[in-house]
Amino acid sequence: MIDTAFHQELRQSVRSICKKYPDAYWRELDERRAYPEDFVNELSQTGFLGALIPEEYGGSGLSVTEASIIMEEINRSGGNAGACHAQMYTMGTLLRHGSEEQKRKYLPKIADGSLRLQAFGVTEPNTGSDTTQLKTMAVRKGDKYIVNGQKVFISRTEYSDLMILLVRTTPLDQVKKRTEGLSVLLVDLREAVGNGITIRPIRTMMNHATTELFIENLEVSVDNLIGEEGKGFSYILDGMNVERILIASECLGDGYWFVDRATQYANQRVVFKRPIGQNQGIQFPIAQSYIHLEAANLMRFRAAELFDAGLPCGKEANMAKLLAADASWEAANATIQTHGGFGFAEEYDIERKFRETRLYQVAPISTNLILSYVAEHVLGLPRSY
């Protein structure tokens, strides 16, 4: 895919905002484990984080292709789109499966940034990637659900007004298929925290505002059920292809950033009276990283193109995420090696981005699960789990 004139304009617009938030901004946030409040606010106010919300609900009405370009450019500038991508795509469950009343109530405020929907409560301590086994239970009593359970690695809960929460509404031993009996609730965290939800921050190797949630007798109105009871698993899966594509785009942004930094340093750094970039031992890893990034980039655009056309794209979205995550990690290692000891110094920002891009080998879906998906659903091999 070749960028259209609009895509080039979109890239320039995002870059112009990112220039206001240089390396020092992200470095200082990383040191304090702080949230990029100013950056998120500006992206919200300029409409970028409402990119996927239709114009009728106050959004920009852009395609997934264009949303992926926004995410790529944030990371390519040296920033971290982790605080942005959830606000962009988490609302998809509400958009595709919510009632018209729910959409009119929430989407315009999510689009203009006055309401943040950034938290996505799925993963649990004892179930991990096996979502069908989750234990958080919601029991209906009159016009409310009473929710009890625990969630882990739920990012940005402290900075979100709303949360998409996947719960079990029918016990596992009472369903015919393991994918049945799960439901999606929209939780107002402004009311729930301290009244049924306790948040415990988890300090991780990257600044992702990750938390653990303890849920005890949380009351959620039946009006906050998204779609039909018991069909929540399919609703969550429905949005995962978008997530894969956007995360792949962030990995690409990281990868191109690494290649740029490695190339610049290799041209400038002189050892033994010659630039180190003259040595094939330095050249080849950078060049190979770039080649792999370009290939992953094509798969990203192919997946986005299929999604935007309303066609099946599970294979392509998963492969794009795996290829981009691998290429980014390869570029990160090449850049550390090129910089030598300076690659570990905070002032160069390499070690910060190194830590950030390592996440995508594991989340939001591990590369192993993508390989299992392709093996089973594309190649027809026996199910491995």
Side-chain angles (χ1 to χ4, degrees), residues 246-263:
L246 294 184
I247 293 298
S249 305
E250 293 177 42
C251 291
L252 288 166
D254 279 343
Y256 287 126
W257 183 90
F258 281 119
V259 167
D260 287 346
R261 290 296 174 101
T263 301

Side-chain angles (χ1 to χ4, degrees), residues 100-273:
E100 188 60 30
E101 181 181 358
Q102 289 173 330
K103 288 187 279 190
R104 294 286 176 192
K105 180 178 181 181
Y106 296 111
L107 289 178
K109 293 182 179 180
I110 294 172
D112 67 21
S114 60
L115 196 61
R116 287 183 181 166
L117 172 53
Q118 299 182 334
F120 194 47
V122 176
T123 306
E124 296 185 357
N126 298 316
T127 58
S129 298
D130 192 358
T131 304
T132 60
Q133 301 297 311
L134 67 78
K135 303 294 191 296
T136 298
M137 193 76 193
V139 178
R140 182 165 179 173
K141 292 188 177 180
D143 61 354
K144 294 180 180 179
Y145 287 101
I146 308 300
V147 186
N148 286 278
Q150 189 176 350
K151 299 288 182 180
V152 71
F153 299 122
I154 312 302
S155 298
R156 295 164 299 278
T157 317
E158 296 171 290
Y159 304 98
S160 188
D161 300 310
L162 304 173
M163 173 173 63
I164 296 288
L165 181 65
L166 187 64
V167 298
R168 178 163 293 287
T169 45
T170 302
L172 187 59
D173 59 6
Q174 295 179 24
V175 297
K176 295 180 181 179
K177 295 174 61 178
R178 62 178 185 166
T179 56
E180 296 175 347
L182 299 173
S183 301
V184 177
L185 300 177
L186 185 63
V187 176
D188 191 327
L189 291 168
R190 296 167 298 181
E191 300 174 355
V193 175
N195 292 297
I197 289 183
T198 300
I199 299 176
R200 184 180 74 84
I202 300 175
R203 188 176 177 90
T204 60
M205 67 186 289
M206 74 292 294
N207 181 24
H208 255 240
T210 299
T211 67
E212 186 172 15
L213 307 181
F214 300 90
I215 307 171
E216 184 176 1
N217 295 325
L218 171 67
E219 295 185 359
V220 181
S221 172
V222 171
D223 292 338
N224 283 30
L225 173 70
I226 295 179
E228 296 182 44
E229 187 176 287
K231 296 187 176 181
F233 185 75
S234 64
Y235 298 163
I236 295 297
L237 282 183
D238 192 33
M240 287 187 172
N241 287 333
V242 177
E243 181 185 52
R244 308 278 193 271
I245 294 167
L246 294 184
I247 293 298
S249 305
E250 293 177 42
C251 291
L252 288 166
D254 279 343
Y256 287 126
W257 183 90
F258 281 119
V259 167
D260 287 346
R261 290 296 174 101
T263 301
Q264 291 169 18
Y265 189 80
N267 277 321
Q268 296 167 1
R269 176 67 166 166
V270 175
V271 178
F272 300 118
K273 300 181 180 180

Side-chain angles (χ1 to χ4, degrees), residues 21 25-26 29 33-42 80 82-84 116 156 159 207 209:
Y21 302 90
Y25 172 81
W26 296 100
L29 289 176
R33 289 297 194 265
Y35 183 79
E37 191 77 35
D38 294 340
F39 182 69
V40 171
N41 284 340
E42 183 158 358
N80 183 351
C84 308
R116 287 183 181 166
R156 295 164 299 278
Y159 304 98
N207 181 24

